[in-house]
Amino acid sequence: MPPELEQTLALLSAHRSVLGYLLLSRGDRVSIIRHSGVVFEGEHGKRYASVIGRIVESVQAGLEEVSGEENDGDHIRFMRIRTKRHELMISPDDRFLLAVLHDPAT
């Protein structure tokens, strides 16, 4: 992994409001490349990874449906989903997904 990415992930992990992050590969099946935080350990992390992959696919499909032919090639750059307790920030690109879960009250 490039040193710049290592440094960025370390900074994310060190932030007091961050509960964890998932670095995921994109493909037919989303898989965890790296993670941080207890919330993403074991089966719970695998469920989060699967759901995040489905969310990105669904939003991208909706964007393509709405934008039609005129905005061909429009892609998601960043998503922020806020719930009652947490905030999930997702940054997708062609090969990877980076998801960060944090507590906005902290």
Side-chain angles (χ1 to χ4, degrees):
M1 208 173 284
E4 300 85 23
L5 181 56
E6 290 280 350
Q7 184 179 12
T8 300
L9 294 175
L11 285 171
L12 274 173
S13 296
H15 197 279
R16 67 185 177 111
S17 69
V18 171
L19 302 174
Y21 70 81
L22 282 171
L23 181 60
L24 308 170
S25 67
R26 289 186 86 168
D28 292 338
R29 207 172 137 240
V30 173
S31 62
I32 299 172
I33 296 172
R34 192 166 181 177
H35 68 86
S36 170
V38 176
V39 70
F40 294 132
E41 294 288 334
E43 286 301 313
H44 201 68
K46 290 178 185 175
R47 282 197 305 266
Y48 259 103
S50 176
V51 168
I52 289 167
R54 289 195 316 259
I55 288 170
V56 171
E57 287 174 15
S58 178
V59 171
Q60 184 64 47
L63 179 62
E64 289 168 2
E65 185 177 321
V66 169
S67 61
E69 299 295 321
E70 64 215 31
N71 288 330
D72 188 34
D74 204 2
H75 297 285
I76 302 166
R77 303 273 321 250
F78 186 78
M79 292 190 308
R80 179 175 261 170
I81 302 168
R82 185 144 187 189
T83 68
K84 189 175 183 179
R85 294 181 13 210
H86 298 116
E87 190 168 40
L88 181 63
M89 297 173 288
I90 305 169
S91 179
D93 81 355
D94 293 335
R95 297 182 337 187
F96 305 102
L97 295 170
L98 175 63
V100 178
L101 184 69
H102 87 100
D103 182 355
T106 306

